[in-house]
Amino acid sequence: MSKRRTVLNWSPRAIVFDCDGTLMDTERHWQDARTRAFREFGLVPPPGFAERAKGVHYVDCGRLMAEETHKPELAPDLTTSLLGHFLALVAQEPRTMPGAPEFVRLVAGRLPLAVASNCPLEVVEESLDRARLRQFFRHIVVPTVTPGGARRPAPQGRVGPEVRPKPSPDVYLRAAHLCGVLPVDAVAVEDSVTGIESARRAGLRVLGVGSLPHAKDGTEPDADTWVATLHDEEVLVWARERMPAAP
């Protein structure tokens, strides 16, 4: 599966990875967590909900679950239930996406790597630690505010710029800045419509990976290149030829 090949003819100065569905095979955990949360409140998932929820911040997802089942008053409880079930599932069975560990190890040391995710920091770090990938990333950027505007506690008492969740461009803008490059010199690796919109709005080029999703209007996501997995031979050649190993 492929789309345009513009990214593979270009040399980025940094790579920013999404986590869920890109590095870690956690989308199935989110899907299972949504199913369990719906069941906990005696609700039935609306048709097509899994695709609409992909890549959405969990707070927005809890609200969407409540709205689409006509129970808006349950949004806070569904959000709490969703996150609780997800954390339990990740702890039980962390799993990487096909080709992700090999690709990360191939490009590590060649240029700065970061993660930009809508998940809570503890979820991202725990997942990457269990997959033995955390050491390869200089920076992990997650939202510091929820979709409703509430500010999350800063890790270790640090205070930084306000970072809104995807599809806002904030996580990608912050990740590029921390990597020391302009957004136009970085590439995002993404699997969802929401994440691609975020990266595009930040000015990054986009390598899409996984099953090709579609926006609500049926259009394909605006990735420069799309591949089925990070095992793709053209992607590996791109890394070796366009990202020279450090001397």
Side-chain angles (χ1 to χ4, degrees), residues 7-191:
V7 160
L8 304 186
N9 296 322
W10 166 73
S11 298
R13 295 183 57 201
I15 304 179
V16 185
F17 293 82
D18 171 54
C19 187
D20 282 1
T22 301
L23 292 172
M24 301 299 301
D25 185 9
T26 47
E27 183 54 39
R28 63 196 176 89
H29 291 328
W30 280 118
Q31 184 168 340
D32 288 346
R34 289 191 294 266
T35 299
R36 293 184 182 192
F38 276 129
R39 187 184 304 130
E40 184 177 333
F41 289 89
L43 304 173
V44 177
F49 187 83
E51 185 63 28
R52 293 191 294 279
K54 189 175 181 181
V56 174
H57 189 280
Y58 74 94
V59 173
D60 270 339
C61 187
R63 176 185 52 76
L64 196 63
M65 292 168 71
E67 288 177 354
E68 293 204 11
T69 54
H70 309 292
K71 298 287 185 180
E73 71 279 5
L74 291 180
D77 293 334
L78 281 167
T79 299
T80 300
S81 174
L82 172 65
L83 183 59
H85 286 302
F86 175 76
L87 291 172
L89 289 164
V90 169
Q92 292 168 12
E93 191 184 1
R95 184 182 296 179
T96 55
M97 294 298 293
E102 295 82 359
F103 182 74
V104 168
R105 292 187 179 100
L106 176 62
V107 298
R110 297 174 185 242
L111 68 177
L113 306 183
V115 172
S117 174
N118 264 358
C119 280
L121 181 62
E122 60 271 22
V123 174
V124 179
E125 291 194 324
E126 175 72 13
S127 298
L128 295 177
D129 275 337
R130 287 175 172 269
R132 299 182 180 180
L133 294 177
R134 176 65 183 89
Q135 72 228 48
F136 298 113
F137 297 99
R138 296 187 188 180
H139 309 286
I140 295 176
V141 180
V142 301
T144 60
V145 294
T146 68
R151 192 172 183 94
R152 292 175 59 85
Q156 300 177 355
R158 289 177 289 176
V159 177
E162 186 173 280
V163 178
R164 297 165 297 173
K166 304 173 188 177
S168 159
D170 291 9
V171 288
Y172 278 107
L173 287 171
R174 182 65 178 157
H177 173 75
L178 290 172
C179 287
V181 304
L182 295 173
V184 294
D185 292 324
V187 62
V189 185
E190 268 286 357
D191 73 307

Side-chain angles (χ1 to χ4, degrees), residues 16 166-173 183 186-190 193-207 222:
V16 185
K166 304 173 188 177
S168 159
D170 291 9
V171 288
Y172 278 107
L173 287 171
V187 62
V189 185
E190 268 286 357
V193 172
T194 300
I196 291 169
E197 180 182 347
S198 172
R200 276 296 192 208
R201 290 173 63 187
L204 282 74
R205 300 195 196 191
V206 180
L207 172 65
D222 188 22

